[in-house]
Amino acid sequence: MQVSHLLEFFGTECVHCKTLEPLIERLEEELGVSVTRLEVWHNQANATLLKSYDQGFCGGVPFFYNTRTRQWLCGTVSYEALRQWATGEKTS
């Protein structure tokens, strides 16, 4: 699996994470980007990685992190917020 600079940390059973799936798909299609999805509730390595990026900002999922800009998003967000995060326009 090739890892993108755009990361989404999610939980398999997370209702909020599931509601964002169509927005992530739209983002990937419209911007031609790829978001690497990392499940954290059943994968300890991904949970540890989440903690290293989160550093107490969100404390849960969904959590989005852009490794190029070091910008992050917490929780259920709008498509516009996702787009700005992915393109580097959002400031935390």
Side-chain angles (χ1 to χ4, degrees), residues 3-76:
V3 177
S4 168
H5 68 284
L6 302 174
L7 307 177
E8 178 206 8
F9 294 90
F10 73 100
T12 300
E13 297 87 4
C14 171
V15 174
H16 305 289
C17 300
K18 289 189 184 305
T19 63
L20 288 170
E21 288 177 4
L23 298 182
I24 295 166
E25 290 172 9
R26 177 179 166 195
L27 181 81
E28 290 178 323
E29 289 174 17
E30 289 184 3
L31 296 183
V33 297
S34 176
V35 177
T36 298
R37 301 188 75 228
L38 301 164
E39 204 288 330
V40 299
W41 288 359
H42 303 284
N43 184 308
Q44 187 57 49
N46 288 345
T48 300
L49 185 61
L50 166 62
K51 287 182 182 179
S52 73
Y53 285 126
D54 181 10
Q55 299 181 14
F57 293 124
C58 298
V61 292
F63 177 74
F64 296 89
Y65 192 79
N66 183 326
T67 61
R68 289 187 184 160
T69 64
R70 298 182 182 169
Q71 295 174 344
W72 46 269
L73 292 173
C74 300
T76 305

